[in-house]
Amino acid sequence: MNEPIPVTRDVDHGTAKLMPDVDRERAWLLTVDGAPQSYVDLDEPTHLEFEYTRRLGHVLDTLAEPGRPLDVLHLGGGAFTLPRYVAATRPGSRQDVVEADRGLLELVTEHVPLPEGAGVTVHGADARAWLEAAPDGSADVIVADVFGGSRVPAHLTSVAYAREAERVLRADGVYLANLADAAPFTFLRAQLATFGSVFKELALIAEPAVLRGRRFGNAVLVAAHRPVDTVAVTRLVASDAFPARLEHGAALREFIGGARAVRDEDAVPSPEPPDGAFGIG
């Protein structure tokens, strides 16, 4: 049998590499300009290697009874890790993936294609432009994992963007986002204030060391008009190999402090991570 070999290709927004995992037969790591973007195991789509991806998966697992199909809009494609996960854990789900980098889409669909009948439709488009054109109340979940290189683009951080997400979600829908920051959390606090100005319920999931300001890291934002199962999610994220903490209610309001919601004209990208900030989790 031929050994898988790394694939390197110039895509629209940098240089992408697909590198095989020597420990897992059909597993691949995707990087763009050296920054890890996705990890997929084609034989085991429920395996979530990155820590933040597992946390998103835990929330997805608690949003409805096990196995119930959901309509999910993914903003940011990578190697389609979470769409594969949802297709495996919630068969019959209808999923749309929006990725601005068409060259990256071509690379991923060529070398690590989605399985037949996955129910996933892929679109080459800007995330906000797609969201603004999407029908009202058309999604149960929006998962935003959009990084231009290693930074969240500014136009996906404002109140106007959050309102578009709210419009596209159903009344009991949930918005999830992968964000990244470090103390003093200027970006993260502003994002919480922004989505808190639109949605009634907020939660934040991150490693304690990140929340204490000891290092740069990922944080998962959860926003909805209905309470999420914080007890179940807290238990799941605490049981991971790299345990995380869920903050909500008074503790989260204290964390947000006096941060203000972001207007389009004031929006900035997330901060540039320090070298080596994103390893494989």
Side-chain angles (χ1 to χ4, degrees), residues 229-240:
D229 192 341
T230 54
V231 173
V233 176
T234 296
R235 184 179 66 252
L236 289 167
V237 301
S239 65
D240 275 339

Side-chain angles (χ1 to χ4, degrees), residues 217-258:
N218 295 92
V220 170
L221 180 150
V222 184
H225 284 308
R226 50 109 165 175
V228 297
D229 192 341
T230 54
V231 173
V233 176
T234 296
R235 184 179 66 252
L236 289 167
V237 301
S239 65
D240 275 339
F242 293 89
R245 198 168 77 213
L246 182 146
E247 297 284 7
H248 71 293
L252 191 56
R253 288 192 293 273
E254 183 178 347
F255 179 84
I256 296 169

Side-chain angles (χ1 to χ4, degrees), residues 97-181:
V97 178
V98 180
E99 170 59 59
D101 193 322
R102 294 173 185 267
L104 183 62
L105 284 180
E106 291 175 6
L107 173 68
V108 170
T109 54
E110 179 182 342
H111 290 278
V112 285
L114 288 158
E116 290 291 329
V120 179
T121 306
V122 179
H123 312 272
D126 174 78
R128 180 155 169 182
W130 179 271
L131 193 65
E132 289 172 346
D136 293 0
S138 55
D140 296 310
V141 188
I142 295 174
V143 181
D145 188 10
V146 184
F147 281 77
S150 54
R151 306 178 74 183
V152 178
H155 69 302
L156 305 182
T157 67
S158 68
V159 172
Y161 164 76
R163 286 177 178 153
E164 287 297 325
E166 180 199 35
R167 178 187 62 78
V168 172
L169 285 167
R170 297 185 175 122
D172 62 347
V174 178
Y175 177 88
L176 305 174
N178 174 35
L179 305 174
D181 201 1

